[in-house]
Amino acid sequence: MDVQLVGVIGSGTMGNGIAQTFAQRGFDVRLIDVSAPALEKAKATIAKSLGKFVEKGTLSAEDRDATLGRLAFFGSIDHLADADYVVEAIVEQREAKRALFGKLDALVRPEVVLATNTSSISITDIAAATQRPEQVLGMHFMNPVPLMQLVELIRGQSTSDASMALAESLCARLGKTGVPASDYPGFIANRILMPMINEAVFALMEGVGTAEAIDSVMKLGMNHPMGPLTLADFIGLDVCVAILDVMHQGLGDPKYRACPLLRRMVAAGHLGRKSGRGFYHYA
């Protein structure tokens, strides 16, 4: 089907990045969030991001203005009844996603594909909350969305070839590479990434090295662009715990058990960049 109007639900870091990326590529976008302050913050974040592209000379002022003109912000999913494609980017919680997909299933046209940006939760489980499981898939964007090329495309048990092909074609229109993955906890990216981050936290807890030393080893020795603890702060320590819990529960292997230090930091509200404090302090 021809996709022009895209609905994005959730205006946090991932949601506003996804909305911006679609709008920059010529799609009309409706960004939905029940929180008015969150929507206002998303507007400012998108405007700032586009402004940086203009400053760097990679986007003209005219294209920036056109992108902003293709974005609309609403507080209810009722505004997505005529959407051609929907991407969900709300909190990483199974029941919240299932409840939302049940509502979307009753709202949007029968032929519309529903995508979730989940980074770990079963696509099959989310799809089971709808009457269109063949039109539900995972579209896991990477952060920051406007810059990162990869999109994991996760096929649920019932996801059709047509739905996967549509998602892949949208990735191409966005200038991104869609890489297929199967519906296992953590998929590809977090199945590999989260154990590394978790082990780095264990190394810190056990005094193997300081946060700076651990990150330096991975940057200078393994040529990673940023160390695992810096990356954890960037992702959000609460998100890391949530993903590890899904993997631990789904795979049953103790190697996915979240480090006690990581859980303690989350309990203390030290969530990384978004809270101003994690493994490092942020102004």
Side-chain angles (χ1 to χ4, degrees):
M1 66 177 293
D2 182 41
V3 174
Q4 181 55 41
L5 176 57
V6 176
V8 179
I9 307 171
S11 65
T13 300
M14 296 306 296
N16 70 59
I18 293 167
Q20 175 186 327
T21 300
F22 271 103
Q24 276 187 256
R25 289 291 177 155
F27 294 88
D28 295 318
V29 180
R30 293 177 187 168
L31 181 57
I32 311 295
D33 202 300
V34 295
S35 168
L39 281 177
E40 288 301 317
K41 183 178 180 181
K43 288 181 187 180
T45 299
I46 292 171
K48 182 178 180 180
S49 175
L50 293 171
K52 288 181 179 179
F53 284 124
V54 173
E55 290 174 7
K56 293 177 180 178
T58 57
L59 184 73
S60 70
E62 292 77 13
D63 285 340
R64 173 198 59 198
D65 294 342
T67 296
L68 292 172
R70 287 189 287 267
L71 283 160
F73 302 82
F74 298 99
S76 168
I77 65 168
D78 292 343
H79 294 275
L80 300 183
D82 57 341
D84 300 319
Y85 195 88
V86 178
V87 181
E88 167 272 315
I90 66 169
V91 64
E92 189 73 351
Q93 293 178 0
R94 172 183 175 273
E95 290 307 321
K97 292 183 186 293
R98 281 177 53 86
L100 175 58
F101 271 71
K103 293 175 182 176
L104 288 170
D105 186 42
L107 176 67
V108 303
R109 302 192 311 276
E111 68 272 20
V112 171
V113 170
L114 305 176
T116 171
N117 185 58
T118 181
S119 55
S120 61
I121 298 170
S122 169
I123 307 304
T124 303
D125 195 7
I126 295 171
T130 76
Q131 298 300 311
R132 63 179 86 194
E134 70 282 356
Q135 290 156 242
V136 177
L137 54 81
M139 201 172 189
H140 179 208
F141 290 84
M142 304 292 124
N143 185 27
V145 181
L147 299 178
M148 299 295 282
Q149 185 178 5
L150 173 68
V151 181
E152 268 190 306
L153 298 177
I154 305 101
R155 182 193 290 267
Q157 185 65 30
S158 301
T159 307
S160 69
D161 289 344
S163 295
M164 292 295 289
L166 176 59
E168 188 170 358
S169 71
L170 288 176
C171 287
R173 289 174 65 182
L174 294 174
K176 299 189 181 299
T177 301
V179 176
S182 296
D183 191 16
Y184 288 94
F187 317 130
I188 296 173
N190 284 320
R191 180 75 175 265
I192 296 169
L193 175 63
M194 284 300 153
M196 182 190 72
I197 288 176
N198 202 39
E199 194 62 29
V201 183
F202 270 110
L204 178 65
M205 183 181 73
E206 294 166 6
V208 179
T210 64
E212 293 81 359
I214 292 166
D215 279 351
S216 293
V217 165
M218 298 306 293
K219 287 191 296 181
L220 302 178
M222 316 306 169
N223 205 29
H224 290 196
M226 68 175 71
L229 300 178
T230 299
L231 180 56
D233 277 353
F234 188 72
I235 294 169
L237 305 193
D238 53 336
V239 176
C240 293
V241 168
I243 295 170
L244 285 164
D245 283 347
V246 168
M247 294 170 64
H248 190 198
Q249 180 181 6
L251 298 169
D253 192 322
K255 72 183 178 183
Y256 300 114
R257 176 178 60 88
C259 177
L261 174 58
L262 188 57
R263 289 193 182 279
R264 191 166 72 236
M265 293 178 71
V266 170
H270 301 167
L271 308 181
R273 284 183 176 272
K274 60 186 174 184
S275 69
R277 183 176 179 184
F279 295 107
Y280 299 93
H281 289 265
Y282 304 91

